Amino acid sequence: MLHTVNKSPYCSDSLRLCISYAGKDDAVLLIEDGVYAAMCGGNSEAILQGAEVALYALWPDLQARGISEDKLVDGLKVVGYDGFVELAAKHSKVQSWL
Amino acid sequence: MPTVKKMMYVNRRAPHGTGYALEGLEVVLIGTAFEQEVCMAFIGDGVYQIMQGQDTRAAGMKNFSPTYKALGDYDVTRLYVEQESLSERGLSVDDLMPLTYEDEDDDWAEKPSVQVIVRKELSQIMAAQDVLFNF
Amino acid sequence: MKFSVMVNEGPYNHQASDSAYHFTKAVLQAGHEVFRVFFYHDGVNNGTRLTTPPQDDRNVVARWSELAVEHKVDLVVCVAAAQRRGIADADEAKRNGKNADNIAEGFRISGLGQLIEAGIVSDRLVEFGD
């Protein structure tokens, strides 16, 4: 299953919930304000550290928010919309944690 | 492609502050005509949707909470409520509406639709679905 | 592979419609099929042709319309959600005794069954909202 999170981890429990629901074969894609969780050094890093899932962030949304690659948490992969489509196709369904 | 899909309606929002719950419920009701294998999940503030004693008269808004009681008649018989969400909010199953359905395979015995289960179990049920709708 | 997309928020206030648009375009570019884009909740506000954004900004509604015309994408606005929010085509306006309609090119108004059908028929349903 592919999970998407579009909320900042500082205003919503979506990311925390998503991570606790995601199975080990799942992927989590951060989009929109969800990409703030991709920045290293913040409190939200702890949420991701325990996660066993593959973690992605959408680069157009990172760029729009001034988050450069050197500020990203370790182990996170950056994808564009083409990568988003690939992830959605690869996984059997998509769960949007709105 | 299976002719009948497993569909879960995931409800994560409180009922009156936004319109998602009301319009989400409309999808569930229309969806019953398609005879799919459906269930609902109530997670986070979504658990407030089926709290007892909602009265919107003074707020001047539509009270759609009685509609949840009709779900059983439309064969929506599995309403999963996340235990952790109830506990975090100081709620127990007694705070929820006593939603029921009549089991046609068991001489139409009246049975509870609400099943309070822990997150781990609910995540497994979610993983077994074909389609997820979020409201 | 057959995709459907659900859009739950209107244009400009939430990024949901932008994300959904770029995703839908990427689905088509990857050679997949888009069975339907379904607009629900405030998402029905993506379907008004009266939108007039400033010239230095994107036209979210026109972008959807172009996608519908160029790629024959089925853009469906939920009738119940549209009635609540004042989105109408000529038939809906007439039926409800209104003196104007505002549906944008490429959009059509239909029932919620179209969303369920999209869920059944499509290999993937991807939802964008708040």
Side-chain angles (χ1 to χ4, degrees):
Chain A
M1 177 166 23
L2 171 68
H3 304 257
T4 66
V5 175
N6 74 332
K7 299 280 188 322
S8 159
Y10 302 104
C11 81
S12 155
D13 68 346
S14 289
L15 179 66
R16 199 180 293 276
L17 261 178
C18 165
I19 295 292
S20 63
Y21 267 83
K24 63 172 169 42
D25 297 326
D26 291 359
V28 174
L29 172 65
L30 306 172
I31 66 168
E32 301 173 4
D33 285 350
V35 300
Y36 287 118
M39 276 183 87
C40 62
N43 290 349
S44 72
E45 219 177 320
I47 305 173
L48 300 178
Q49 266 163 3
E52 289 176 358
V53 295
L55 201 61
Y56 300 85
L58 196 67
W59 71 257
D61 290 348
L62 287 167
Q63 250 179 20
R65 288 161 180 81
I67 306 170
S68 54
E69 294 233 12
D70 56 306
K71 291 179 193 152
L72 299 179
V73 296
D74 289 339
L76 177 131
K77 293 189 197 75
V78 172
V79 293
Y81 278 98
D82 53 342
F84 187 170
V85 172
E86 273 175 39
L87 284 168
K90 183 183 152 196
H91 293 271
S92 64
K93 58 186 164 286
V94 182
Q95 161 65 5
S96 308
W97 293 90
L98 303 176
Chain B
M1 192 194 77
T3 48
V4 174
K5 283 195 168 181
K6 291 191 174 77
M7 295 184 164
M8 178 183 267
Y9 301 101
V10 183
N11 297 279
R12 289 184 44 235
R13 317 227 207 199
H16 304 295
T18 61
Y20 299 107
L22 166 64
E23 289 190 324
L25 194 53
E26 288 178 354
V27 175
V28 178
L29 291 172
I30 295 286
T32 59
F34 289 79
E35 298 184 334
Q36 303 293 299
E37 202 180 318
V38 305
C39 65
M40 297 175 79
F42 296 88
I43 303 170
D45 281 352
V47 301
Y48 290 130
Q49 289 181 26
I50 51 172
M51 234 172 83
Q52 290 218 47
Q54 297 177 48
D55 181 349
T56 58
R57 280 175 295 185
M61 293 166 76
K62 181 170 172 170
N63 187 3
F64 59 98
S65 65
T67 311
Y68 292 94
K69 292 178 185 152
L71 288 170
D73 299 335
Y74 289 96
D75 287 333
V76 182
T77 59
R78 289 180 298 140
L79 276 57
Y80 299 112
V81 177
E82 196 201 65
Q83 173 67 63
E84 287 87 339
S85 301
L86 285 181
S87 305
E88 282 166 10
R89 287 162 180 77
L91 300 173
S92 74
V93 70
D94 298 333
D95 295 303
L96 306 178
M97 292 187 274
L99 305 173
T100 57
Y101 72 102
E102 290 174 352
D103 189 351
E104 58 177 316
D105 298 326
D106 191 7
D107 200 21
W108 304 99
E110 196 176 71
K111 296 185 175 178
S113 305
V114 171
Q115 300 177 44
V116 179
I117 56 175
V118 295
R119 183 172 297 171
K120 198 172 163 48
E121 200 180 333
L122 187 49
S123 69
Q124 282 159 2
I125 295 168
M126 186 187 279
Q129 303 299 311
D130 297 312
V131 190
L132 302 162
F133 293 98
N134 278 265
F135 299 112
Chain C
M1 191 173 270
K2 217 178 260 187
F3 279 79
S4 282
V5 172
M6 184 174 172
V7 184
N8 293 340
E9 298 297 338
Y12 301 106
N13 195 34
H14 292 96
Q15 200 186 340
S17 180
D18 292 273
S19 303
Y21 169 77
H22 293 298
F23 180 81
T24 304
K25 250 180 85 166
V27 167
L28 293 167
Q29 273 162 6
H32 298 298
E33 182 193 338
V34 176
F35 176 73
R36 181 167 293 150
V37 180
F38 191 86
F39 296 87
Y40 198 45
H41 302 299
D42 278 358
V44 299
N45 290 318
N46 285 288
T48 168
R49 66 169 184 269
L50 301 181
T51 303
T52 316
Q55 286 205 332
D56 63 350
D57 199 353
R58 70 223 187 274
N59 190 324
V60 173
V61 175
R63 239 170 26 178
W64 281 117
S65 291
E66 284 160 23
L67 205 63
V69 172
E70 281 173 28
H71 298 276
K72 305 267 182 295
V73 175
D74 188 22
L75 306 180
V76 178
V77 172
C78 168
V79 62
Q83 283 173 341
R84 287 190 178 111
R85 293 163 179 85
I87 305 292
D89 59 14
D91 285 349
E92 272 297 307
K94 197 176 166 194
R95 190 181 1 255
N96 297 307
K98 307 291 179 185
N99 63 3
D101 66 84
N102 58 351
I103 195 87
E105 187 183 12
F107 289 82
R108 63 185 181 94
I109 293 183
S110 191
L112 273 172
Q114 301 270 305
L115 171 63
I116 307 292
E117 188 199 18
I120 296 169
V121 171
S122 310
D123 300 300
R124 300 288 183 274
L125 175 74
V126 184
E127 204 173 333
F128 295 89
D130 179 36

